[in-house]
Structures are given as C-alpha cells and as structure tokens.
Amino acid sequence: MAPKLPIYFDNAATTRCDPRVVEAMLPYFSEKFGNAASRNHRFGWEGEEAVEVAREQAAALIGANPKEIIFTSGSTESNNLAIKGAALMYAKAPAGQQGRGHIIAAVHEHKAVLDPCKRLQREGFDVTFLEPGADGIITADMVAAAMRPDTILVTIMWANNEIGTINEVPQIGALCHEREVVFHTDATQWVGKMPTDVERDHVDLLSWSGHKIYGPKGVGALYVRRRKPRIRLEAIMDGGGHERGMRSGTMNVTGIVGFGKACELCAQEMEHERERLLKLRRKLEGELTRRIEVAQVNGHAEKRLPNIANVSFGFVEGESLMMGVKDIACSSGSACTSASLEPSYVLKSLGVGDEMAHSSLRLSLGRWSTEEEVDWAIEAIVKAVEHLRTMSPLYDLHKEGIDISKIQWQAH
Ligand SMILES: *Cc1c(COP(=O)(O)O)cnc(C)c1O
C-alpha cells in the first residue's frame, strides 16, 4: 500500500506532538491560566500543582528525584545552564584570568554544547575536544586519557543526533565520580527512547527536550544532582528566583504540562517502541546496503539508537540526491543552508570523506513511522541513486574496475 506523502523521516530534528499531549495541555491555555508562582489564590495553586505533576513525570523517566528537575526552554538552554553554570561555579580562577579550569567535550557534540564550550574557552577556560573513533563513539578510556588535575567538567552527549551512536556514558560517569569531576550529558536523543537511570549511570547533569519526545517545542529540562555529590550551578538567567534560583522566569505551565505528559508516555511505551523501530531501521539499512553497491551505514554497527539511520552513497551528488527523494522528509550530510557547501562535521570526525559525507542521508524514524513508509522509502532511494548514477562518468569508470582514487587528474 502506498503511504501518504511526503513521508516524515526527520524525527531527530523534531517530532509531532502526541495528541494525548495536546489534550493534556489544552485546559492550561484557557481556564487553568494561573501563574505557578502566585501563592495567594486558587489559580496559582492549580498552576503550581500541574507543574509539580510534570516534575514527577519527568523525574520518573530518568530515575531522578522531582526536586532535581529544573524546567527550561529546551536542550539548548539546558546545555548552556549546565555547562556555563558548572564552569562558573567550579572555576579555579576569577573572571579575567587564564587557567580557570579544564573542560572535556567531544568534537561531534551538538552546536548547543560546542558553542557554550567555545565561549568558555574565550573566557579563560581550557577545553579539550575529543575525537571519536571511526565508529563515532567516545569511550571512557578516551576521557580518562584527557583528564588533568584541573579538570572541572566533562560534557559528553549520550547519543549523537546525526548518526545515533551511543557513547560510553555510564562508564564515563563512573570515572567522573571517582575523580570528583562534574559530569554533564546532552541526552536529547537518548531520553525517552532508551532506559535511563541517573543513579546507576553516574550522571550529575542531564539535558533533554520536549519536542524530541513527542511533546511541545520550547520546553525542556535539566536534571541537577542534589546528593552524592550535590551539584551547584551559577544561574544564567536572573530574575524572580524560580526553580531554586537556577532559572528565573514565569513558568511555561502549558508547555511543562505537555512535557510531563510526553515523558509519561515515553516511559510507558518505550520498550515496545524501541523494538518496533529497531526492526524498521534494520530493514531500511539492510535493504539499502544490499541493493545499492558502494553504500555504507555511518557509525558503529550495533551501538546506535533504534531510530536513526545515516547512510552514505558513493557516486551521487548530495544535493541531487536530496532532490531525487523529495517525498521523503529527511536530513543530509551537507549543510546546504550555508553559502559554502560544508560536509557534516560529525561525519568528518569519523573520518568519512567529503564525497561520502555530502551524499549521506539521515533517516530518523518515530512513533508514527510505518513499515509501508520504510518499504516505499527503500524503493524511492534505490531508484534515485540508480538514476543519478546513469549520469555519473565516475560510476562508469568504477564499473569498469578502475580505482578512482588512483587516477591522476589532468587540469586542462
Ligand atoms: C535537538 C537537539 C538539541 C537542541 O534542543 P532544543 O530543545 O531544540 O534547543 C541539543 N542537542 C541535541 C543532541 C539535539 O538533538
């Protein structure tokens, strides 16, 4: 059966809000409009109660205590608060001086981690950006080797948003606790899809976001450990002292209610959804690499999220490929929005060549992805690649058995 087009395979960019989440939110736009910080009347209490329910739902999803949840506007803000807040709190020298402390991150983090780290670098902190292996994974050994006596913070994402690879977070967390270094993880792609327990996995600070887990956009949370050890943060946003002084500003009650509901639904449905999506992802990758020669799945074969497939195709040009599959909403390894056509820095960090990085597709499945859609997408991609290759002189040479990499190109 033909699916409804276009197919949405860009769930790593954002997800559709679950109708059950929308339903839970609706009253908080209208009759239940109170300010959660209004302590003197029923409207305020109603708002506060709703926020506290959401705090419990969010905490339950990651094995935290509700008191350890700070609501934010999303993962970008959570990452900024965690990284800048911890760096400023645990700095070894005052502002304006060098040698304020050492931070460990990875080169293929999301920009919402890289950019705060780069700002801190300009402000007197030292930052080591670890390179992953060819499998895309950051191991605890890599972090251990980068540790210094003045290391104050480690920030390593749980799972990568472009390739879905899973870093050694529990082991990195254990290492950090042993060395008494604060550990933050950007878990935006991980939480809600995979079982998470901040106690078992030794996490001190954890960011996640509503719109990646079938909740609304513009709301997220930061987990801040309260005991063993108690983590303190310098606030980034000053104001009314909301959220234990760590994040001032009137609470987005409606968004927070939706976020809480989204967390609850993920907790209930994760196990089933994980298996279903893993089967679909394996079919997608398996068929594409079986039917198309010179196609590769990027990132570790097994240690990957169930829903993200990142596949590169040789002898096709990235932009033409995207045009050729325009009924599939997905992402490519080319940042074609920028003036200069830069290949993905994530794929480059794995050692994927520029050509293969440009011609990659990130296909990210979600709660409403179906097998019909996967089957349709496989046919469409195979057809598009075959068509583009009929126009590629390089592919002709390849078929004749000539090793392209050994050709000496002559400039005319
Ligand atoms: C989407 C995403 C972010 C940004 O989250 P927002 O809530 O949109 O600010 C940060 N990190 C990762 C890994 C993401 O996938």
Side-chain angles (χ1 to χ4, degrees), residues 9 28 69 97 111 116 125 143 169 177 215-216 225 250 268 312 332 335 337 340 406 410:
F9 277 178
Y28 294 90
I69 303 297
Q97 292 185 17
K111 294 281 184 191
F125 292 87
V143 176
V169 161
H177 275 180
R225 177 176 287 281
T250 300
Q268 289 165 2
S312 290
S332 89
T337 44
S340 64
K406 300 229 167 74
Q410 201 98 55

Side-chain angles (χ1 to χ4, degrees), residues 241-314:
H242 307 73
E243 298 296 84
R244 291 159 53 210
M246 281 188 258
R247 205 280 189 170
S248 288
T250 300
M251 314 283 306
N252 171 10
V253 176
T254 316
I256 289 168
V257 165
F259 180 77
K261 185 69 188 175
C263 289
E264 184 189 71
L265 292 173
C266 284
Q268 289 165 2
E269 298 179 5
M270 174 186 323
E271 206 175 295
H272 168 77
E273 201 159 284
R274 219 174 115 192
E275 299 216 348
R276 191 181 76 85
L277 293 180
L278 184 61
K279 253 170 74 183
L280 292 183
R281 193 207 76 199
R282 287 207 170 125
K283 182 173 193 185
L284 187 60
E285 292 170 344
E287 286 299 296
L288 289 176
T289 49
R290 186 179 68 79
R291 290 178 54 184
I292 302 172
E293 63 159 346
V294 200
Q296 73 185 35
V297 174
N298 296 309
H300 194 283
E302 296 298 324
K303 294 176 184 166
R304 259 174 326 116
L305 290 175
N307 67 316
I308 300 182
N310 189 307
V311 191
S312 290
F313 307 94

Side-chain angles (χ1 to χ4, degrees), residues 100-148:
R100 299 181 73 194
H102 177 235
I103 298 167
I104 299 173
V107 292
H108 63 338
E109 291 285 325
H110 192 276
K111 294 281 184 191
V113 164
L114 291 180
D115 289 352
C117 286
K118 286 176 187 166
R119 182 178 295 277
L120 290 170
Q121 220 170 11
R122 293 193 296 273
E123 292 176 358
F125 292 87
D126 280 339
V127 185
T128 300
F129 293 99
L130 297 174
E131 300 263 357
D135 59 6
I137 291 173
I138 299 290
T139 65
D141 286 344
M142 294 176 187
V143 176
M147 283 266 193
R148 305 192 327 205

Side-chain angles (χ1 to χ4, degrees), residues 9 22 24 53 68 90 109 149 158 167 186 200 207 210 231 240 247 263 275 296-297 303 322 369 408:
F9 277 178
V22 177
V53 169
E68 299 174 307
Y90 298 99
E109 291 285 325
W158 209 316
N167 295 317
D186 176 351
R200 181 195 59 202
S207 307
I231 304 295
R247 205 280 189 170
C263 289
E275 299 216 348
Q296 73 185 35
V297 174
K303 294 176 184 166
M322 283 301 280
S369 301
Q408 305 256 306

Side-chain angles (χ1 to χ4, degrees), residues 7 34 53 96 104 124 132 179 207 213 224 292 298 306 314 354 385 399:
I7 292 169
V53 169
I104 299 173
R179 307 279 178 98
S207 307
I213 59 166
V224 183
I292 302 172
N298 296 309
D354 282 6
V385 171
K399 273 195 305 188

Side-chain angles (χ1 to χ4, degrees), residues 74-76 110 157 161 186 188-189 209 211-212:
S75 280
T76 300
H110 192 276
M157 72 200 318
N161 48 296
D186 176 351
T188 313
Q189 297 289 346
S209 180
H211 75 104
K212 304 286 175 82

Side-chain angles (χ1 to χ4, degrees), residues 20-81:
R20 294 166 290 183
V21 169
V22 177
E23 192 188 309
M25 291 170 73
L26 282 175
Y28 294 90
F29 282 109
S30 47
E31 67 263 31
K32 301 186 180 186
F33 62 88
N35 184 328
S38 297
R39 290 278 154 77
N40 305 317
H41 50 70
R42 198 164 299 171
F43 297 92
W45 303 333
E46 203 170 48
E48 193 191 3
E49 276 164 27
V51 167
E52 294 318 309
V53 169
R55 211 184 288 285
E56 283 168 22
Q57 292 165 323
L61 183 61
I62 62 165
N65 182 300
K67 289 184 183 143
E68 299 174 307
I69 303 297
I70 305 292
F71 289 115
T72 66
S73 63
S75 280
T76 300
E77 185 188 339
S78 296
N79 288 343
N80 272 269
L81 175 56

